[in-house]
Amino acid sequence: AACRIYGERTLILPGARLGSEGPVTVENCQIGPGVELKGGYFRGAVFLSGAQCGSGAHVRDGTILEEYASFAHTVGLKQTILFPFVTLGSLINFCDCLMAGGTDRKNHSEVGSSYIHFNFTPNQHKATPSLIGDVPRGVMLNQRPIFLGGQGGMVGPLRLNYGTTVAAGTILRKDELRPNRLIFGGVLKGGNIDFRPGRYTGISRIIKNNLIYIGNLLALRHWYYEIRALFVAAEFPRKLLDGLLHTVDAAIRERMQRLKELAIKMEEGGDPTLATAWTILEEKLIRQRERLGDLRLLDAFKDSVVSAISREGKDYIRAVQSLNTDTAEQGAAWLQGIIDEAVASAFEAME
């Protein structure tokens, strides 16, 4: 099949396969070893070792598929981060999400076919990122999977905890922060009520979920800088790491811009709360990019990862999964501290 490759930042490592099912266009992507892009359009995305994408793909900026993450045919992604082993079916639109969970290619988080993440509102904004799992526990590769049944959808911004199973055909509209839940539902009761753009319901939850999502991206950024960087080797060269860092930075900017747009929409609707605080809030979140959290926790966790590398080699998944429970909890606490500090700092600006 024909392949078109563009972009000065494009990186294709040995063992990658492009176009096994149809033509492929790649623009400014970083593609790791053993990755298979079977057909479609790929721009501004990063694919780590063993990731697979079916034909008819439409993958755009801000997307990361970590090790062995995959999807089948005709899937659209943008500003989407899938942690290792996460699997999507076919005919899916899953933009503006971060999804984690699972421990291997048999025990993984999954999204069923014909699933939609609804990421644009009647008020015409995209402050709608959904956190399916989280970064602090998700990077430890030891959590129960999350399953989103086919022919269903989520109305962002939502948060789901690990172990959540959603029955096929269910539309999620509420957070579920309890672990190990089964959620099922049918068609909504019909209705016809007055509606005018600019009226916001549940705005506190929407703002909070956006800030928590940004906090998780900040934590992921520090994970890449401090921990992923320890695994730089022939199969994970510095340029691939740079691709991850560039993409997560772009994802943070995207979410900040979308939150700013929400502030403007709210002000136009008569609620200046977020707009009034925006300048200070933005400055605080930008400063959080350089905050490393609890340095004692970081140093101790980093030493444990270095020891794991000495035992397991620079195999990222094997090394991380070799960490004992106390060490994994220590690392998660370090990352959670980064998130909590960022969210608290943002709320201070709004007081």
Side-chain angles (χ1 to χ4, degrees):
C3 293
R4 292 181 290 182
I5 299 171
Y6 305 100
E8 61 183 11
R9 291 190 293 105
T10 291
L11 172 71
I12 303 175
L13 292 183
R17 297 180 62 199
L18 309 182
S20 61
E21 294 181 351
V24 165
T25 298
V26 170
E27 181 179 355
N28 281 323
C29 293
Q30 294 78 50
I31 301 169
V35 169
E36 187 169 8
L37 308 182
K38 296 181 180 180
Y41 177 70
F42 305 87
R43 184 188 73 199
V46 184
F47 306 90
L48 300 187
S49 177
Q52 292 195 23
C53 304
S55 59
H58 196 252
V59 177
R60 293 174 288 163
D61 306 78
T63 296
I64 296 172
L65 270 66
E66 294 196 354
E67 288 87 352
Y68 305 107
S70 66
F71 60 77
H73 69 80
T74 326
V75 171
L77 305 179
K78 181 173 182 279
Q79 300 295 330
T80 305
I81 298 174
L82 304 181
F83 276 15
F85 313 118
V86 173
T87 300
L88 313 185
S90 305
L91 302 168
I92 288 171
N93 190 312
F94 208 60
C95 302
D96 297 302
C97 299
L98 185 151
M99 188 169 189
T103 57
D104 53 50
R105 280 182 279 184
K106 292 185 177 179
N107 179 48
H108 54 74
S109 288
E110 182 159 349
V111 179
S113 294
S114 301
Y115 202 89
I116 298 177
H117 178 248
F118 298 102
N119 66 329
F120 187 71
T121 75
N123 285 311
Q124 302 176 337
H125 70 80
K126 284 193 172 185
T128 53
S130 288
L131 196 59
I132 306 153
D134 60 18
V135 169
R137 293 174 294 165
V139 294
M140 301 305 163
L141 307 178
N142 62 0
Q143 294 297 308
R144 290 200 64 194
I146 297 168
F147 180 81
L148 306 179
Q151 290 281 328
M154 300 175 64
V155 181
L158 286 185
R159 290 187 289 151
L160 296 180
N161 206 342
Y162 293 105
T164 300
T165 296
V166 182
T170 302
I171 305 295
L172 290 175
R173 300 175 185 273
K174 296 181 179 180
D175 298 334
E176 181 48 80
L177 303 182
R178 295 170 295 180
N180 307 319
R181 306 294 294 182
L182 171 62
I183 303 172
F184 52 92
V187 177
L188 278 178
K189 181 180 178 181
N192 187 330
I193 62 175
D194 180 57
F195 172 77
R196 295 184 182 91
R199 292 180 178 178
Y200 289 90
T201 58
I203 193 64
S204 296
R205 184 191 69 85
I206 290 170
I207 293 171
K208 181 179 180 180
N209 280 4
N210 271 267
L211 293 174
I212 290 172
Y213 195 96
I214 292 169
N216 273 265
L217 290 178
L218 290 168
L220 184 59
R221 181 179 190 268
H222 290 304
W223 177 264
Y224 286 161
Y225 266 107
E226 300 296 330
I227 305 303
R228 275 275 187 183
L230 300 173
F231 291 87
V232 168
E235 292 199 347
F236 182 67
R238 179 71 205 193
K239 286 186 177 180
L240 194 53
L241 174 64
D242 289 343
L244 289 175
L245 296 171
H246 175 88
T247 303
V248 78
D249 280 338
I252 293 167
R253 290 193 299 271
E254 169 78 7
R255 299 274 58 97
M256 295 282 286
Q257 178 61 31
R258 296 302 186 181
L259 193 56
K260 182 178 180 180
E261 290 170 2
L262 173 61
I264 294 169
K265 291 284 185 181
M266 287 174 60
E267 188 172 36
E268 291 172 350
D271 184 350
T273 305
L274 187 56
T276 300
W278 180 256
T279 300
I280 297 174
L281 187 153
E282 184 179 38
E283 289 175 355
K284 283 178 174 288
L285 287 176
I286 289 172
R287 285 201 296 270
Q288 289 297 321
R289 286 160 50 94
E290 308 308 321
R291 301 278 295 178
L292 285 172
D294 189 322
L295 293 179
R296 290 174 299 177
L297 285 175
L298 169 58
D299 290 342
F301 180 71
K302 208 169 183 177
D303 287 344
S304 296
V305 174
V306 170
S307 296
I309 291 172
S310 69
R311 296 191 308 269
E312 306 291 343
K314 293 200 172 184
D315 183 316
Y316 174 76
I317 290 173
R318 285 181 57 187
V320 170
Q321 291 188 328
S322 75
L323 300 172
N324 63 40
T325 300
D326 289 343
T327 299
E329 289 178 353
Q330 184 182 58
W334 161 58
L335 293 168
Q336 189 61 50
I338 293 171
I339 297 168
D340 293 344
E341 184 179 339
V343 173
S345 177
F347 273 118
E348 282 177 9
M350 297 175 62
E351 291 177 351

